[in-house]
Amino acid sequence: MRRTSRDIRTANRYRVLRQAIAESPASRPRLAAATGLSLATVATLVGELIDQGMLVDAGFEDSGGGRPRGLLAVNPRGGALIGVDVAETYVHVEVVDLALSVLGHAHEELRPGDHEPAALVRRIAGAVRAAADRAAAGPVLGAGITMPGMVDREGGVSVFAANWDWHGVPLLDLLAEQVPYRLYLDNPMRACLIAELWFGAARGRDDVLVVNLGTGVGTGIALGGTMHRGVSNSAGEWGHTLLVLDGRPCHCGRRGCVESYIGAPGIMRSLREISPDSPMLAADDQTATLARLARALDEDDPVAARTLRTTAGHLGAALADLVNLLDPEIIVLTGWVARQLGGPLLEQAREAVTRHALRRPLESTEIVLSPIQVNPVSLGAATFALEGALDAVGRAGD
Amino acid sequence: MRRTSRDIRTANRYRVLRQAIAESPASRPRLAAATGLSLATVATLVGELIDQGMLVDAGFEDSGGGRPRGLLAVNPRGGALIGVDVAETYVHVEVVDLALSVLGHAHEELRPGDHEPAALVRRIAGAVRAAADRAAAGPVLGAGITMPGMVDREGGVSVFAANWDWHGVPLLDLLAEQVPYRLYLDNPMRACLIAELWFGAARGRDDVLVVNLGTGVGTGIALGGTMHRGVSNSAGEWGHTLLVLDGRPCHCGRRGCVESYIGAPGIMRSLREISPDSPMLAADDQTATLARLARALDEDDPVAARTLRTTAGHLGAALADLVNLLDPEIIVLTGWVARQLGGPLLEQAREAVTRHALRRPLESTEIVLSPIQVNPVSLGAATFALEGALDAVGRAGD
Ligand SMILES: [Zn+2]
Ligand SMILES: [Zn+2]
């Protein structure tokens, strides 16, 4: 997508609010210094955000002899944002205020019958109502929803959800009949990316990859401070790039994909190859197996250690491909597998990246674990609603 | 790198001139329609380009009853651009006018002793003078130079050229003492990308990969209409992403890189594995071997056919990784190996991509051979000088 002058203004508005959320209260000169924007630009954008009720005046700071400087704070009563993480087995909803304090949440497990579109829409609407009832923070500015599979963001359509056999379900149209908020749809990978850009390790960075490690794996890509979605909104399928030509079969139909080695089922397979009868293997239960693996690592179990080394080697080799191809500023690891295996996985993966990547791009790339403590997908979904509200400010001002 | 409003204005200036070069003469409404810019924006930018001597008035066209419309043409006397392709074995210089007609060129083979920096600078300066003497088209707007290895574009420094053992040579400073033009330095991969964006298959496209197949392989990346350079200016090392973990040794120190399979030496190795005593194998001469392979393909030689199938399979698998990760609009194949193996390679690689890529991004990605007939590296280098001249217009106007 081409960028226009309006895109630049919108991106600047994001930057100012992002900084105000990170450091509240703050003066205009401080916001200008932290964002690299001119004081005049910051003053204009702050004015818009005050008019919109997102920022409020918060007294003055002493400026060491000069005129006292006005301070700005995020308005906790400026509105609530709803983030909905629709996964294959649950619907998780968080309601947050503009300072990103959690106001309420709801979690519902899905049953097999819930996967029919009309039923799922009822479950989502119910969870959103339950969460919103627990919150009370002024107007709801919007609700962001993430769906597994492929989505048409503009049209609000779930294009394809493999495990549910969904094709072209107009999800937002169906939801709009039951939920009275502005709605935004995207995928969980993008949600994790936007959460890191606004509130996590990627704040203030321009060339960012957020690598999601879970049952599936993928990466959110932001270059030049802008999310790269791809021409069919399906960029980021790093899980289906090659680790080994003609290697392990992958559910995408190809062989040797990254996901078949470092997705949770891939890690289980590696464990099974190392020790076919390991008591860590909990049949088809990925969550239980990974939890046992993490526990066994704490206890210096040699099979667990070898499984980690193998997995970290695969992960590091695949991350090195991203370093060599895209030369990013930072790679953030997120997702439940990253949380479960945490520091030891990161440390050994970094070593493997060093063996595999070219020196020059490697030297300028940082690799870290996500610092976000809440569900990053719900948080990211809520952030889609926040960006939507900010875009609306821009359109009103044109 | 973050984009600013000036970047947008510069990008729009590029777009207008690019379209005017492609379709000269053209009216302002036609330029507006073709670029998607407003008529007011186009009128302003055309005014600047006329002031600069890059565009000239070229009469009127009948507009079917209405007021006759003024036509604009590229000014062939608006200035000359010099493009210098410094390769490991030669220096190739092209001088072109703004309509991209070739005004002169020079080609010099390098001898081993020429690789010492002072000697190479003398050879480059000599070749530039020889080419410029053959041209006579008004002022020289600048000279772009590409160097193998890693370059620091901003500082004009050759950071590292492996085969010559260069480290941190301040090439542009040295050249400036002998060449009286504005100088621009970048790498050949970026030159091929910019040539395709301005004059080739990627004109008017936003998300573009230009895949360079030669002794080494790599890809130029443009997303959102903007070149992605990476945080250390070394993005695009697709040649050093994995095809086979622990596969063939690669000169970067890793094993299994794409380049070790589809770079010219990799293709020779595949041929040797298929038929160790093949008469197509010309010792260490890649150029001769690839030329014989192309000829044998024309003659339906079965060993040649099998080598092509293997190579196209490797290429297609590696291209599918780019499709899945970046979801581009178009992939353009360029470089001497692509020219040598041409249509048959493209056709079989496309089939392999179809087997390997995910359906949704694949459906929206076109894969083509470069239509550029002259040396695309020199043409791209000249285009760096053209963009530099256009950037100067922007700065003057601020
Ligand atoms: Zn796959
Ligand atoms: Zn390599």
Side-chain angles (χ1 to χ4, degrees):
Chain A
M1 297 283 290
R2 274 187 196 159
R3 274 130 208 154
T4 63
S5 305
R6 181 197 279 169
D7 296 335
I8 299 280
R9 282 201 306 277
T10 300
N12 289 343
R13 200 174 294 122
Y14 292 0
R15 254 170 228 146
V16 168
L17 185 60
R18 210 179 273 179
Q19 183 59 32
I21 290 171
E23 187 185 347
S24 179
S27 67
R28 288 170 186 79
R30 171 64 199 151
L31 292 173
T35 57
L37 298 170
S38 74
L39 189 54
T41 301
V42 167
T44 304
L45 296 173
V46 162
E48 287 175 8
L49 292 166
I50 289 176
D51 288 347
Q52 195 66 12
M54 292 186 173
L55 292 181
V56 288
D57 291 309
F60 293 88
E61 73 177 355
D62 189 53
S63 63
R67 213 153 57 95
R69 285 176 178 159
L71 291 173
L72 300 151
V74 172
N75 181 7
R77 308 203 164 278
L81 303 161
I82 298 177
V84 186
D85 169 13
V86 180
E88 284 166 8
T89 57
Y90 64 81
V91 174
H92 184 88
V93 183
E94 302 263 357
V95 186
V96 296
D97 66 17
L98 288 180
L100 274 299
S101 303
V102 175
L103 302 173
H105 54 89
H107 187 97
E108 304 201 19
E109 295 293 321
L110 294 178
R111 294 173 298 260
D114 293 332
H115 291 157
E116 196 263 317
L120 185 68
V121 164
R122 274 194 306 276
R123 296 298 303 272
I124 295 174
V128 166
R129 268 193 301 270
D133 284 351
R134 273 164 229 160
V140 171
L141 297 177
I145 293 145
T146 66
M147 277 284 295
M150 280 170 189
V151 302
D152 171 3
R153 194 174 63 95
E154 307 292 333
V157 174
S158 164
V159 175
F160 179 54
N163 292 5
W164 300 346
D165 200 26
W166 280 26
H167 297 269
V169 175
L171 188 70
L172 292 197
D173 283 351
L174 294 172
L175 261 173
E177 294 170 11
Q178 303 191 36
V179 174
Y181 312 127
R182 279 195 198 214
L183 301 173
Y184 304 87
L185 180 67
D186 215 316
N187 73 27
M189 216 155 65
R190 302 277 156 69
C192 289
L193 173 61
I194 203 172
E196 294 298 333
L197 286 169
W198 274 85
F199 312 112
R203 200 150 42 78
R205 305 304 187 88
D206 287 327
D207 294 340
V208 173
L209 303 176
V210 175
V211 164
N212 201 344
L213 303 175
T215 305
V217 306
T219 181
I221 302 171
L223 301 174
T226 306
M227 205 181 278
H228 173 62
R229 299 177 175 279
V231 68
S232 65
N233 194 38
S234 55
E237 292 290 355
W238 171 69
H240 302 289
T241 64
L242 281 181
L243 194 70
V244 187
L245 186 70
D246 299 325
R248 292 183 182 173
C250 179
H251 63 91
C252 76
R254 198 182 191 187
R255 300 183 73 96
C257 289
V258 167
E259 184 165 305
S260 63
Y261 293 83
I262 62 172
I267 298 174
M268 286 179 75
R269 177 164 170 173
S270 297
L271 169 56
R272 200 175 288 116
E273 286 173 4
I274 289 166
S275 172
D277 304 317
S278 166
M280 286 180 267
L281 286 162
D284 284 340
D285 190 339
Q286 303 165 22
T287 320
T289 304
L290 268 285
R292 289 178 196 169
L293 178 62
R295 213 160 36 237
L297 281 169
D298 281 344
E299 293 158 2
D300 290 326
D301 176 83
V303 168
R306 214 176 130 202
T307 305
L308 182 75
R309 201 157 55 242
T310 301
T311 301
H314 291 150
L315 173 60
L319 290 177
D321 282 1
L322 294 176
V323 171
N324 288 356
L325 185 66
L326 295 175
D327 188 13
E329 222 175 320
I330 188 166
I331 298 178
V332 185
L333 305 184
T334 187
W336 68 270
V337 170
R339 275 192 299 281
Q340 188 69 266
L341 300 179
L345 179 69
L346 175 68
E347 196 181 314
Q348 293 191 32
R350 274 192 188 135
E351 282 173 31
V353 173
T354 305
R355 291 196 302 276
H356 282 278
L358 296 171
R359 216 190 58 205
R360 192 171 151 91
L362 178 66
E363 275 171 359
S364 46
T365 302
E366 217 180 314
I367 306 177
V368 301
L369 288 173
S370 169
I372 293 176
Q373 296 300 319
V374 301
N375 175 329
V377 178
S378 295
L379 182 64
T383 312
F384 287 128
L386 177 57
E387 288 200 347
L390 288 171
D391 295 351
V393 177
R395 277 194 300 278
D398 277 351
Chain B
M1 297 286 288
R2 273 184 197 160
R3 273 130 210 156
T4 63
S5 306
R6 181 196 280 169
D7 295 336
I8 298 281
R9 283 203 304 279
T10 300
N12 289 343
R13 199 174 293 120
Y14 292 0
R15 252 170 230 145
V16 168
L17 184 60
R18 210 179 274 178
Q19 183 60 32
I21 290 172
E23 187 185 346
S24 178
S27 67
R28 288 170 185 77
R30 170 65 199 149
L31 292 173
T35 56
L37 298 169
S38 74
L39 189 54
T41 300
V42 166
T44 304
L45 297 174
V46 162
E48 287 174 8
L49 292 167
I50 289 176
D51 288 347
Q52 195 67 10
M54 292 186 173
L55 293 181
V56 288
D57 291 309
F60 294 88
E61 73 176 357
D62 189 53
S63 61
R67 212 151 58 94
R69 284 174 177 163
L71 291 173
L72 300 150
V74 172
N75 181 6
R77 309 201 164 277
L81 302 161
I82 298 178
V84 186
D85 169 15
V86 180
E88 284 167 7
T89 57
Y90 63 83
V91 174
H92 185 87
V93 183
E94 302 265 357
V95 186
V96 298
D97 66 16
L98 289 177
L100 275 299
S101 304
V102 175
L103 302 174
H105 55 87
H107 186 97
E108 303 200 20
E109 296 292 322
L110 295 178
R111 293 173 299 259
D114 293 333
H115 291 157
E116 196 262 318
L120 185 69
V121 164
R122 275 195 305 277
R123 296 297 304 273
I124 295 174
V128 166
R129 270 193 300 270
D133 285 350
R134 273 164 229 158
V140 172
L141 297 176
I145 294 145
T146 66
M147 278 284 296
M150 282 172 189
V151 301
D152 170 3
R153 194 174 62 95
E154 307 291 333
V157 173
S158 164
V159 175
F160 178 54
N163 291 4
W164 301 347
D165 199 25
W166 280 26
H167 297 270
V169 175
L171 188 70
L172 292 198
D173 283 351
L174 295 171
L175 261 173
E177 295 171 11
Q178 304 191 37
V179 174
Y181 312 126
R182 278 196 199 217
L183 301 173
Y184 304 88
L185 180 67
D186 216 316
N187 73 27
M189 215 154 68
R190 303 277 155 68
C192 288
L193 172 60
I194 203 173
E196 294 298 333
L197 286 168
W198 274 85
F199 313 111
R203 200 148 45 76
R205 305 302 187 92
D206 287 328
D207 294 341
V208 173
L209 303 176
V210 175
V211 164
N212 201 344
L213 303 175
T215 305
V217 306
T219 181
I221 303 171
L223 301 174
T226 306
M227 204 181 278
H228 173 62
R229 298 177 176 278
V231 68
S232 64
N233 196 37
S234 54
E237 292 290 353
W238 171 69
H240 302 290
T241 64
L242 282 181
L243 194 70
V244 187
L245 185 71
D246 298 324
R248 292 182 183 175
C250 179
H251 63 90
C252 75
R254 197 181 191 187
R255 300 183 74 97
C257 289
V258 167
E259 184 164 306
S260 64
Y261 293 83
I262 63 172
I267 299 173
M268 285 179 76
R269 178 166 170 170
S270 297
L271 169 55
R272 200 175 289 116
E273 286 174 4
I274 289 166
S275 171
D277 304 317
S278 166
M280 286 181 266
L281 285 162
D284 285 339
D285 190 340
Q286 303 164 22
T287 321
T289 305
L290 268 286
R292 289 177 196 169
L293 178 62
R295 212 159 39 237
L297 281 169
D298 282 344
E299 292 158 3
D300 292 326
D301 175 83
V303 168
R306 214 175 130 202
T307 305
L308 183 76
R309 201 158 54 242
T310 300
T311 301
H314 291 150
L315 173 60
L319 291 177
D321 282 0
L322 294 176
V323 171
N324 288 356
L325 185 65
L326 295 174
D327 188 13
E329 222 175 320
I330 187 165
I331 297 177
V332 185
L333 305 184
T334 186
W336 67 270
V337 170
R339 275 192 298 280
Q340 187 69 268
L341 301 179
L345 179 68
L346 175 67
E347 196 181 314
Q348 293 191 33
R350 272 192 188 137
E351 282 173 31
V353 173
T354 305
R355 291 196 301 276
H356 282 278
L358 296 170
R359 215 190 57 207
R360 193 171 151 92
L362 179 66
E363 274 172 359
S364 46
T365 301
E366 217 179 314
I367 305 177
V368 302
L369 288 174
S370 168
I372 294 176
Q373 296 301 319
V374 300
N375 175 330
V377 178
S378 295
L379 183 64
T383 312
F384 287 128
L386 176 57
E387 288 199 346
L390 288 171
D391 295 351
V393 177
R395 277 193 301 277
D398 278 351

